[in-house]
Structures are given as C-alpha cells and as structure tokens.
Amino acid sequence: MPTTLVTLLIGALTAQPSVQQPPAGSIRGTVVDAVAGTSLPGVVIALQGSRREVVSDREGAFVFEAVPPGRHTLYVSLVGYALARPGVDVHAGLVSHVTVPLAPGTGAYTETVTVVSDAVRGSAPSVPAAQVLTSGELLELRGVLTDDPLRAVQALPSVATGDDFRSEFSVRGSDFSHLGLSIDGIPVPWPVHTVADREAEGSISMVNGTVLDSVSLLAGTYPQDRPGRTGAWVDLTIREGSRATTGFHGSLSASAASFLVEGPLGPRGSWLISTRQSYLQWLLDRFEHEGQTAFGFTDLQAKFVVDATPRNQLQLTLVGGHARLSHEQGSVYENSINGARARTGLAALAWRSAFAPTVVVTQRIAAGVNDFRTDGIIGFPLADGYASRLAYRAVADWTAGSALALQFGAYAQRHRADEAYVRFQQVRRSPLLPWTDRVPSLERVVGDGWLATGHARVNWDTARWSIDAGLMAEPSSLAHEVPWSPWMLARVPLRAGWSLRGGFNRTAQTPTLEQVVGTFKGDDVGPERARQLDLALEQRLGSSTRWQVTAYHRREADMLRLEESETYLLNGEIERPSLTPYWANALVGTSRGIELLLQRRSPAGLSGWVGYAYGRTEYTDRLRGEHFPGDYDQRHTLNVFALQRLSPRTSVSAKLRVASSFPIPGYYERRDGGIWVAAERNLERLPVYARLDVRANHAFHFDQRRLTLFVEIVNLLDRENFAVDRPYVNDDGRVVKVMHSLFPFLPSAGFMVDF
C-alpha cells in the first residue's frame, strides 16, 4: 500500500499538464463579378494547404467551418475568369467574412469591386450604336489559332470582314483606313503585324489579348473628341497589373506562345509585362495549305502605374513588335517577295490630376515609329522606309453640377515619313518594249506635317433625358482649310426598360502624307467629309438581356481615290493603269442600312449575341462620271456568338458568321466560263462567306496553380471560303489569280497556366 501511494505521488508530480486547443473559427464569403458586381454561382473555392473544397451556391455564397486560427489563403477559380488567391485571417471562435471579386478573362485580381454603370455600352451611354467586349469575351473570341483581339472585334454586330488572314475589318461600308483606333486614349495607326505594301499577305494584331481590359466599338455617330475619321472608332484599353499579388499567366498553342507577369509596384502602383511569339504558318503547312509563306512575329506590351499622390497618377504604356516574312514562289515574277521585316514601337506617358473633387485633367504624350523593308525576288527592295509621329493630348473634365458635365480638350501631332515603293505595273506591249508587259512604277513619300484639334463638349444627363453635344476644329498643314465637326447625341427613356437614342455628327478626315506630298499626290487635295444620322430603339429585358434596332444614314463627300490606277475596258480596248496615278477628291457616296441586335450577358447561364445587318454603300466618281457599289458593300451580315458554362471547370462557345460578301474591287465581269476585264466597276462579287468556329475550355485545379486546356476547331463545317487575291489581266482580257481560298478545317489546341 505505501508503495502504491508513492507511485501515485510520483506520477502526479511528473505528469505534463494537458494542452487545450483554441476553438476553431470559420470563413463565410461571397464571390462576385468584379465588373458587374453580381454574385457568381458555381465557383470552386479551395482552402490551400488542405484538401477541403466547396462550390458557391446560387447567391455566390460559400462557407468553411472548423478552420484553425491564423492566416489562410483561398484558391478561387471559375473557367473564363482570372484566378484569385485572397488571404483571410481566421480568429478563434469567430466568423471571418470575405467578398471575393473575380475579374472576367485574365484581368488582375483586386480586393475591391468597381461596378461599371453600363457594361454593354461602356463610357458611351448616349451613343446609338456602341459595343463593348469584356476581357472574358476577348478571351473566347480572339481564337486559339490566331490569338488576335482585333479578330474578336470582327464578331461584333455591324462589323464586316471577308479575309481570314487579316485583322482589319469594315464597319458600315467604311474601310479600315477610315476607321479610328486608340490605345489607352492615344490615337494610333492600326497596330498590326503586316508586310509593307503587301497587306493582302495577311496581318495580325500587335496587341496581346491577355493585356486588354476591354475593347469598345463606336459604329456610327459619336463625340468628335479625337482626330477626325469619317468611319467608326475602336478603343483598346490595356488593364493595370495586380496591386494585390504577383501573378504569372503562360499560354501555349499550336500557333503561338505568350507569357504575362504582373504585380504590385510598391504600396501605390502596379506593373504588367507581356510578350508573345507566333508560328502560325507551321500549323497551316501541317494541313497542306497552299503556299510556302513563313510569317512570324514577336511583340511586347507593358504598363506601369504609380499613384504619385492621392490626386496624381502616372501611367506608362509600351507596345512594340517585330514581324518577319520569307516567301518562296513556284512562279517567280517581278513583284514576288523574297523576304520582309517590319519594326513598330509606341510609348505613351499619361498624367492624371484631380485639382478638385469636380475637376480632373488628363495629359498624354506619345511617340511612335515604324521601320520596314520588303525585298523583291529580283534583288532590290520593293518597299523601304520609316514613319514617325509625336503626339500630345490634354482633356479637362469638369462636373459643373449633379446633371451637368463639361469637357475641353486639345490634341497636337507631328508626323514625318521617308518611304519608297516599287511596283511593276502591267502596260500594253509596244515595239519599244516587245519583251515585257511590266515596267516599274516608283512612289516616293518624303515629308512631314502636323495637325491639331480642339474641342468643347457638354453632357447634360437627367432622369428624363440626356444630351451629349460639342464642336471640334481640326487645322492641319496638309489641308488648306480648317474643318469643323459638330455633334449632337440624345437619349430619352420612354418607359421602364425602353429607351430611344439618336445622333448626328459631321466629320472630316485629313489627307495623309502620301496623298499630299508623295509622287502620286493630287492637285489641291483637301479633307474628306461625312455626315451621319443614327436612330436606335432599345429595350432592356432585366439586368442581363437587351434587344436593339438601329437605322443609319451616312453621306460622304470629297472622298479620295487614286485615279488611273486600275485596268478597265474602254470602247472594247484594254486600258492599263498609269505609271503615275494621282489622288483626287473625286468620290461622293452614300451608306444606309438597318441593324438588329439581341444580346445577353449572364455569368451563370447562356451569354452572347445575335446580330443581323443590312446595308448598301455606293459611290459616284465625279471625274469619271461612273457609279458603282463600294469596295466594302456587304448587303447581308449575320454574326452570332454563344458562350455556355457547363460547370466551374468547363465551358463551350461557338462563333458563326454568314455574309453575302464584298465585291471584287476592280473592273471585272463573269462570262464565257471565266472572269474578264469589264467597263464597269465592282460588278462581280466573292461567293457567300460562312464559317463556324467552336471552342471548349476545361480547367484543372492544383494546390498552387491552374491549368486551362483550350480546344478549338476553325471552320467546323469545312466550307471553302474565298478572299480577293492579286488579279492579273492577260493581253486577251481574261483575269487570273482573282481569288484564293481561306482557312480550311483547322483543329487547334493549347493551354494556359496561372499561378
């Protein structure tokens, strides 16, 4: 007994006190769309470092119970949205609440929600025909094969295109030279990789779609607050990098590879750098696509943002690219290309200052340069030169009252060029040239010029109506007169969900250096002009669906045409182009039509649009006394896009385009089983264009990263479509090399890694 007591006493003295674990906590949260602010159901949320995973409910809510106290990281993923990894502090016995905004597409992760007032129209609520592509839609539409955000724009209603190999497009009958484009508020030439003076060889956007926050298209009447264009305007906005965490996105497909790195820049800024390399031709060769052209490019985009003070922000945007082309042809002739290269760079610095709660001034300065050379097969360059521009833009916005906003702006640009082009033209054989029907035509563009704009704008927005009106002047050293461009836009809500929008503007487009100082310059060349009217009726069906019908009319005058540059039939004889054609304000034109749109945006269900457009574009040449359809006169256009999310990990999408197609530009007609030179212009058209593309995405989740697999089939129905080639008129009048085939049935696959 004493022994037992001693044993118990010793055990009691040597026993370790029991450790009491602190009570666990819990995490309750909601996942929302970072742009729309709406809840996101079906999102995968994982607790990193554990095997626990939940899915958000119909209200976007989720919960983790029995979570140990401390700092935890959530892994939040939904296919079609950027990956988010927010940190949450869990306290013993308490509930930690968190809201997780998910950015569509590849947008940067942020801990705040910035709700756009009208995600469909962006910053242009009064513009009758405005479309906005979000980052998520760009991700679906740009294509695994081409990875081109400008090709995503081609899927929008009112946009027409007929060449799979080109990024450029037409809107309401206007060609891309009459469309405006800006990057982060700075007007720029079209940022595409292409071969100088050989645009038919193809082109692709110089901007990687993963860096874009949105793309806006203003199709008809819109404010004239930038250098004038007679056609539509496209705005590209490069997003900021993440201010919350450093992230990496890598994408690899059979045609391109791209990499993007982003992160915070100190406590008050962010940075983003992206680079891309393509090898599309390798894929085309695998499917025995005709031609032996090898086209490759490399490009880079970067953006740095710093909040210098609470009222001052600095932004630096950089875009650059280098394109290369080698060309081998079975039949060699004087205009054959042996190789080409082009280098383009753009740098823009922006300074945004809030001088008061109601006054904001944004200043931008930008410099751009383009250097190119295209070598001919016979040993000398067919195109060689450079162009540069320096621009400054300042805009002051003043909120004068609860319903009244005023804007004043100015823009100045200096540009110069030194370019040379050699083209071998067909001429009639003669005793002096019995051995050839091709002689060289030399075009030289050497000079500089400037243009400036100044505008004033008033926006009066009430619950009953809104008006956006203003006036812009555009003096230039390349025009002898100063064009004035007024505009008036109005929006009237009719009843719940209904609204009526109308607009009028008068636009002017300054001639280019080649049209004023080049070898083919015209006498007393002046600005091109256009007057436009739009009327749109819209109904919103809830928060996610709308339909709209828009009627438009555009009257153009003094449009420039390169006279005596085409082969045609005159009194039964073939007239060849002149070796010295000239520019003239010879054309007057009319474009009119109607556009129908049904659009739905839903984070959980079916999203997309159906757009149909009917339009007619016709021109009259006052010098030649002839009337003909416009080169981009496409009577019927159907654009359909549909996106369905099947699960948090899987989505499918489809894009359909059917169009009655464009005329074959030139004096051609079909007879006797072939195409022959004609006396009238644009008589013959390309065959009907129809193409269906489908795409599927599936995400694989890991503890530290996400892998998304893309599978895409271009031209699923394997329809043979055609684009205009480089027509050649034989001595007997027969036309050869009129058309070439476009993309065949092309499957492609790739993947993107986020961590």
Side-chain angles (χ1 to χ4, degrees):
M1 186 68 175
T3 304
T4 303
L5 290 174
V6 171
T7 303
L8 292 174
L9 181 60
I10 293 174
L13 292 174
T14 58
Q16 296 291 329
S18 62
V19 179
Q20 185 175 3
Q21 296 292 332
S26 62
I27 301 174
R28 294 182 181 272
T30 305
V31 186
V32 299
D33 187 294
V35 176
T38 55
S39 59
L40 288 175
V43 181
V44 173
I45 306 101
L47 192 64
Q48 284 195 355
S50 71
R51 297 182 178 274
R52 302 175 62 181
E53 182 179 286
V54 297
V55 177
S56 61
D57 62 18
R58 296 181 59 183
E59 303 301 323
F62 65 93
V63 60
F64 285 101
E65 299 287 3
V67 180
R71 181 74 173 178
H72 293 271
T73 300
L74 299 180
Y75 174 101
V76 186
S77 174
L78 179 64
V79 65
Y81 282 76
L83 181 65
R85 292 183 295 272
V88 183
D89 291 315
V90 177
H91 302 280
L94 300 178
V95 178
S96 297
H97 296 273
V98 61
T99 298
V100 183
L102 281 189
T106 58
Y109 170 65
T110 176
E111 296 180 347
T112 61
V113 180
T114 303
V115 179
V116 177
S117 58
D118 193 335
V120 173
R121 295 179 169 272
S123 59
S126 296
V127 175
Q131 304 284 338
V132 177
L133 284 174
T134 65
S135 178
E137 290 167 339
L138 286 168
L139 184 66
E140 292 293 326
L141 287 166
R142 69 189 188 191
V144 174
L145 185 65
T146 53
D147 189 18
D148 187 348
L150 289 182
R151 280 175 166 82
V153 180
Q154 294 177 359
L156 286 174
S158 77
V159 176
T161 182
D163 194 334
D164 297 344
F165 297 104
R166 299 184 63 180
S167 295
E168 298 88 345
F169 48 83
S170 170
V171 179
R172 294 182 174 181
S174 290
D175 66 88
F176 62 87
S177 67
H178 291 91
L179 308 183
L181 186 141
S182 64
I183 297 177
D184 281 355
I186 286 290
V188 298
W190 282 83
V192 295
H193 297 290
T194 189
V195 177
D197 202 39
R198 290 294 190 279
E199 287 78 8
E201 300 289 343
S203 61
I204 192 167
S205 170
M206 195 180 300
V207 180
N208 187 354
T210 59
V211 306
L212 291 177
D213 180 67
S214 64
V215 176
S216 300
L217 171 67
L218 309 180
T221 54
Y222 54 85
Q224 298 298 295
D225 55 352
R226 289 155 291 194
R229 284 291 187 272
T230 58
W233 196 276
V234 179
D235 288 311
L236 306 182
T237 302
I238 297 179
R239 66 179 178 87
E240 293 187 21
S242 174
R243 297 194 178 204
T245 182
T246 300
F248 171 83
H249 313 270
S251 178
L252 180 66
S253 70
S255 60
S258 64
F259 303 94
L260 183 148
V261 185
E262 60 183 313
L265 187 61
R268 295 185 299 184
S270 67
W271 58 274
L272 177 150
I273 300 175
S274 175
T275 185
R276 183 178 57 162
Q277 173 72 52
S278 83
Y279 33 89
L280 173 61
Q281 187 61 39
W282 179 87
L283 180 65
L284 294 176
D285 290 343
R286 301 288 76 75
F287 286 86
E288 300 181 350
H289 190 269
E290 62 183 28
Q292 302 177 47
T293 301
F295 182 79
F297 64 83
T298 304
D299 52 42
L300 179 143
Q301 305 87 38
K303 188 168 185 176
F304 303 88
V305 180
V306 175
D307 298 331
T309 70
R311 293 190 176 185
N312 291 273
Q313 185 185 79
L314 294 174
Q315 294 187 5
L316 176 63
T317 301
L318 302 173
V319 177
H322 181 205
R324 304 159 302 279
L325 180 140
S326 61
H327 200 87
E328 299 175 2
Q329 298 206 5
S331 59
V332 177
Y333 63 102
E334 295 90 340
N335 286 326
S336 297
I337 298 175
N338 183 48
R341 54 107 177 132
R343 294 174 295 188
T344 302
L346 170 70
L349 180 65
W351 177 19
R352 185 174 183 270
S353 303
F355 291 98
T358 59
V359 178
V360 177
V361 176
T362 304
Q363 301 178 78
R364 295 180 173 91
I365 184 170
V369 63
N370 178 35
D371 176 75
F372 59 88
R373 181 183 175 98
T374 302
D375 292 316
I377 199 73
I378 59 178
F380 61 87
L382 298 176
D384 189 13
Y386 79 92
S388 64
R389 64 172 55 195
L390 181 66
Y392 171 79
R393 187 184 185 207
V395 176
D397 292 287
W398 175 30
T399 305
S402 59
L404 181 63
L406 303 176
Q407 184 183 90
F408 303 93
Y411 176 83
Q413 174 186 297
R414 184 81 180 184
H415 49 282
R416 59 181 305 185
D418 186 350
E419 304 170 352
Y421 304 93
V422 176
R423 307 175 185 90
F424 284 85
Q425 301 277 28
Q426 289 178 262
V427 296
R428 185 178 301 176
R429 294 182 186 272
S430 69
L432 297 178
L433 299 170
W435 58 88
T436 182
D437 62 349
R438 290 179 179 267
V439 296
S441 172
L442 173 64
E443 180 182 10
R444 194 73 197 278
V445 181
V446 181
D448 57 48
W450 60 265
L451 68 85
T453 69
H455 78 270
R457 178 181 181 183
V458 57
N459 195 322
W460 199 347
D461 193 353
T462 70
R464 299 178 59 183
W465 44 264
S466 68
I467 292 177
D468 186 338
L471 180 67
M472 183 184 73
E474 187 174 352
S476 170
S477 65
L478 302 180
H480 301 301
E481 54 184 298
V482 178
W484 293 83
S485 302
W487 76 88
M488 170 75 77
L489 308 173
R491 177 177 60 89
V492 180
L494 301 178
R495 59 179 182 175
W498 290 79
S499 63
L500 182 67
R501 290 177 171 85
F504 161 81
N505 68 1
R506 190 172 65 202
T507 63
Q509 183 164 333
T510 302
T512 62
L513 282 172
E514 66 174 315
Q515 295 163 342
V516 177
V517 302
T519 306
F520 303 154
K521 67 181 180 181
D523 295 330
D524 197 28
V525 170
E528 300 171 296
R529 305 176 186 276
R531 297 193 306 270
Q532 302 188 73
L533 287 170
D534 277 284
L535 186 64
L537 179 65
E538 178 181 285
Q539 183 186 18
R540 296 291 178 103
L541 305 175
S543 60
S544 61
T545 307
R546 68 159 179 161
W547 68 265
Q548 177 175 299
V549 55
T550 306
Y552 67 89
H553 181 276
R554 185 177 72 250
R555 177 67 175 175
E556 299 176 334
D558 300 324
M559 304 301 287
L560 284 159
R561 183 186 184 188
L562 188 61
E563 297 284 355
E564 299 182 8
S565 62
E566 298 177 281
T567 300
Y568 64 98
L569 202 63
L570 179 64
N571 298 325
E573 296 290 331
I574 299 175
E575 291 291 327
R576 297 291 186 177
S578 169
L579 296 179
T580 57
Y582 63 94
W583 289 97
N585 295 102
L587 299 179
V588 294
T590 301
S591 181
R592 59 174 68 94
I594 188 169
E595 299 165 347
L596 306 177
L597 169 67
L598 175 63
Q599 183 178 21
R600 186 173 192 267
R601 278 202 175 126
S602 172
L606 180 67
S607 296
W609 57 77
V610 178
Y612 167 76
Y614 171 79
R616 296 179 69 96
T617 302
E618 298 176 323
Y619 287 100
T620 298
D621 189 316
R622 296 176 300 180
L623 299 181
R624 299 172 60 92
E626 60 181 357
H627 184 80
F628 53 88
D631 292 354
Y632 293 88
D633 173 53
Q634 186 161 269
R635 304 293 171 83
H636 303 277
T637 306
L638 176 67
N639 287 327
V640 181
F641 169 66
L643 169 65
Q644 178 66 57
R645 188 169 290 107
L646 304 179
S647 74
R649 294 176 170 84
T650 306
S651 67
V652 294
S653 63
K655 177 175 63 176
L656 171 68
R657 183 177 179 274
V658 181
S660 56
S661 209
F662 303 125
I664 300 173
Y667 296 82
Y668 311 120
E669 63 180 348
R670 189 179 298 274
R671 56 183 172 85
D672 300 333
I675 295 181
W676 300 78
V677 67
E680 297 182 51
R681 195 171 191 274
N682 289 357
L683 293 175
E684 194 62 38
R685 290 179 178 264
L686 293 166
V688 171
Y689 180 99
R691 188 178 119 187
L692 174 64
D693 301 343
V694 296
R695 172 179 173 136
N697 314 306
H698 185 80
F700 299 89
H701 297 157
F702 302 94
D703 187 53
Q704 299 290 333
R705 61 194 181 278
R706 179 178 67 183
L707 175 67
T708 304
L709 176 66
F710 310 102
V711 178
E712 182 180 72
I713 300 178
V714 175
N715 195 8
L716 176 66
L717 303 180
D718 197 21
R719 176 184 172 83
E720 188 174 14
N721 295 307
F722 296 91
V724 176
D725 203 337
R726 293 184 294 275
Y728 179 92
V729 181
N730 291 327
D731 288 340
D732 61 356
R734 180 181 288 270
V735 185
V736 297
K737 296 194 69 176
V738 178
M739 297 178 288
H740 63 84
S741 59
L742 299 175
F743 280 164
F745 174 90
L746 277 177
S748 183
F751 63 87
M752 184 170 71
V753 180
D754 299 273
F755 59 83

